[in-house]
Amino acid sequence: MCLRLIDGMLVPPRLRVLIPFCALLASQAWSGISGEEYALRRERLAAAADSGSALLFRAAETRTRSGDVVYPYRQESNFLYLTGIAEPGLTLVIIPRGMQIDGGQEKFLLLAPSSALEHVRATPFSGGPVINADRLTEVLGAVASQTKTLYVSMPDIGFVNDWLNNRPLFLDQEARQQFQQQHDGVKVRNAGPLVARLRECKSDAELGLMRTAIRLTGDGIRRATQLCRPGAVEYEIQGAVEYEMTRQGARAMSFPSIVGSGPNSTILHYDTNTRAMRAGDVVVIDVGAEYEGYAADITRTLPVAGAFTREQREVYSVVLRAQAEVINMIRPGVRWGALETKAREVIAKGGFGGRMPHGVSHHLGIDAHDAGTYDTLKAGMVITVEPGIYIPPMDTTVAAGYRGWGIRIEDDVLVGANGPVVLSEGIPKDLKTIESLMRKSNPPTHNHQRRVP
């Protein structure tokens, strides 16, 4: 899934889809990651912070309600990374030099509502006590009395629009200022960058879950090739992809599925998915399964009628070449900016310069656009490589056959110690293989009434 390029900055869209936890018991840690690994993550974070600091992580608030409907719950990503616990109302406190709590010197402390205490104590959380959330004010006061810097990572605290008074409210800023006023000498800072440096390089356990998420996504895309033909509606493709991924164990999608055909293929984050596809169209399928809390993010572009036109083949080949050259560069020490430069260089050389309005790569992990730094590549990172070319319908600077469609190809790549490892290499993307898959597909019968824009 692409980052939009705005005023020279890569800006991620609102990506995450709420995870349906109906099959997940309260406070159950994600399978595939051991309690020991979560404990090691907390130890590494404590070691990365200065000794005179403390770190505070707040779980996502309770499930959203609308009338009598309770919507699925999704844990805050940093909290999930450090605990593996999918439970609202929790607070994780990390004090690198330790603090006296109930007679013990503790570095790690978890506060939980009284109704969830027993559930939380049964999770793999280790290294410190689990106490009642009613004591949060007491604990924060004690932490503030011996801390110079409090690093905070909290969900749902940032910018909101006060539409009634036509003004923005910066809740994050106001909360920090008020805490600092109440606790003289304590500076409140963002914990995100500290955690991001831990999250950007994946462990073997994380890679195992991501490989599964990627495999499920590939199977979903293969299923899509069986339904992709003139007359099918974009939401049919979406349904087929998501059914296959869910059938194999995906609890959710990593982001809203993008199935854009014809002119919709030029819209980067199109997710309406209601257009009936036509002969001559291409369809951009940008999807990702989420498996045990970890995301995949894959894009393939298919010819709706089974074969690309001459112009589509030309553009597709340029995009594929750009991707191949970027992937070939990937190794520890390479600067992120070099990947972007290479992709745009190849696209411009192919005659389509200025037609990629998004970044070529981003981190992948717990989030589809995962936390991490964007300076140099490091061994253990998993990143996307997703060049694209998009030509709007009204663009008269090119011949008619090039107008009104876009091509994007995206793979998930591990930065290996000795070079790139394409985790999604088994998902077809070369022209001949894609056209062969399309030809082998049997057309479904469409008897239902469709909405055709």
Side-chain angles (χ1 to χ4, degrees):
M1 189 176 192
C2 50
L3 285 161
R4 188 181 297 274
L5 191 65
I6 301 177
D7 295 333
M9 297 179 64
L10 296 177
V11 181
R14 184 180 179 183
L15 296 176
R16 292 306 300 238
V17 180
L18 293 175
I19 299 176
F21 281 103
C22 55
L24 181 65
L25 294 176
S27 303
Q28 181 179 351
W30 292 106
S31 62
I33 307 291
S34 67
E36 289 77 10
E37 181 164 329
Y38 287 116
L40 178 60
R41 292 173 181 179
R42 295 190 293 271
E43 289 284 0
R44 291 175 61 201
L45 181 58
D50 56 277
S51 61
S53 68
L55 302 98
L56 186 69
F57 295 86
R58 180 71 176 176
E61 297 303 321
T62 189
R63 301 180 181 195
T64 304
R65 289 180 177 270
S66 178
D68 60 352
V69 177
V70 180
Y71 289 93
Y73 177 75
R74 201 275 173 188
Q75 185 59 281
E76 196 274 333
S77 294
N78 284 337
F79 194 93
L80 186 65
Y81 178 78
L82 292 169
T83 68
I85 302 173
E87 176 75 25
L90 308 184
T91 305
L92 171 67
V93 183
I94 299 176
I95 313 102
R97 64 182 178 186
M99 185 179 73
Q100 281 289 323
I101 298 289
D102 297 339
Q105 186 77 0
E106 307 292 352
K107 288 174 61 177
F108 307 102
L109 177 67
L110 192 62
L111 293 94
S114 57
S115 61
L117 275 172
E118 294 308 313
H119 289 303
V120 175
R121 285 170 177 159
T123 69
F125 182 81
S126 60
V130 179
I131 66 174
N132 198 307
D134 291 346
R135 299 177 62 186
L136 179 59
T137 300
E138 168 200 338
V139 169
L140 286 180
V143 168
S145 68
Q146 55 182 285
T147 297
K148 294 182 179 180
T149 305
L150 180 64
Y151 291 97
V152 179
S153 176
M154 294 186 291
D156 306 323
I157 183 166
F159 162 80
V160 296
N161 181 39
D162 177 4
W163 60 269
L164 190 61
N165 297 298
N166 193 28
R167 62 170 184 152
L169 292 177
F170 295 95
L171 301 182
D172 179 80
Q173 179 178 327
E174 291 190 18
R176 292 168 193 263
Q177 288 178 348
Q178 182 171 337
F179 189 89
Q180 289 174 166
Q181 289 170 0
Q182 293 175 346
H183 303 279
D184 188 38
V186 178
K187 295 294 183 183
V188 180
R189 295 181 178 173
N190 181 13
L194 289 175
V195 188
R197 289 193 174 276
L198 299 182
R199 286 175 56 182
E200 65 185 3
C201 295
K202 273 55 181 181
S203 67
D204 289 343
E206 290 177 294
L207 289 174
L209 297 178
M210 293 181 72
R211 288 178 187 275
T212 300
I214 291 166
R215 177 178 59 77
L216 268 55
T217 305
D219 288 347
I221 290 173
R222 289 185 183 87
R223 174 64 176 156
T225 66
Q226 300 172 12
L227 297 177
C228 183
R229 55 192 20 84
V233 183
E234 293 164 342
Y235 58 63
E236 294 181 79
I237 305 303
Q238 176 186 356
V241 171
E242 294 182 359
Y243 163 78
E244 188 59 35
M245 293 191 289
T246 303
R247 186 184 71 82
Q248 295 194 43
R251 292 183 181 173
M253 305 303 107
S254 301
F255 52 88
S257 298
I258 296 169
V259 182
S261 64
N264 294 337
S265 64
T266 69
I267 303 172
L268 299 186
H269 299 118
Y270 169 82
D271 60 6
T272 307
N273 302 346
T274 55
R275 179 179 179 272
M277 299 185 293
R278 303 167 187 170
D281 286 347
V282 294
V283 57
V284 170
I285 303 174
D286 188 345
V287 292
E290 184 174 89
Y291 183 77
E292 297 296 342
Y294 282 80
D297 187 359
I298 306 293
T299 305
R300 292 294 184 262
T301 303
L302 307 179
V304 170
F308 293 101
T309 66
R310 178 183 60 82
E311 293 88 350
Q312 290 164 359
R313 293 179 70 86
E314 178 186 349
V315 174
Y316 193 102
S317 296
V318 173
V319 174
L320 192 61
R321 184 161 60 251
Q323 191 200 43
E325 293 199 24
V326 170
I327 290 174
N328 190 52
M329 294 175 61
I330 293 175
R331 52 188 33 81
V334 172
R335 296 196 64 82
W336 277 86
L339 305 182
E340 191 81 19
T341 299
K342 174 59 70 174
R344 296 187 185 282
E345 175 186 292
V346 175
I347 288 173
K349 188 175 180 181
F352 300 97
R355 300 185 184 278
M356 188 176 77
H358 60 75
V360 77
S361 183
H362 59 78
H363 288 283
L364 183 69
I366 288 178
D367 294 306
H369 287 239
D370 207 35
T373 56
Y374 284 86
D375 41 27
T376 59
L377 299 181
K378 302 177 182 66
M381 288 180 172
V382 178
I383 66 174
T384 65
V385 181
E386 49 179 309
I389 295 173
Y390 314 86
I391 307 175
M394 304 306 292
D395 188 342
T396 58
T397 64
V398 295
Y402 292 94
R403 301 175 199 163
W405 46 269
I407 303 286
R408 182 163 68 252
I409 306 169
E410 177 180 19
D411 281 285
D412 301 338
V413 183
L414 168 66
V415 182
N418 300 311
V421 179
V422 182
L423 301 177
S424 50
E425 65 178 349
I427 305 174
K429 65 180 177 182
D430 67 275
L431 286 162
K432 289 184 178 180
T433 303
I434 287 177
E435 290 183 336
S436 176
L437 280 173
M438 300 292 289
R439 284 194 298 269
K440 291 177 181 178
S441 299
N442 296 314
T445 301
H446 302 293
N447 294 320
H448 59 280
Q449 190 69 28
R450 296 187 182 84
R451 173 186 168 191
V452 181

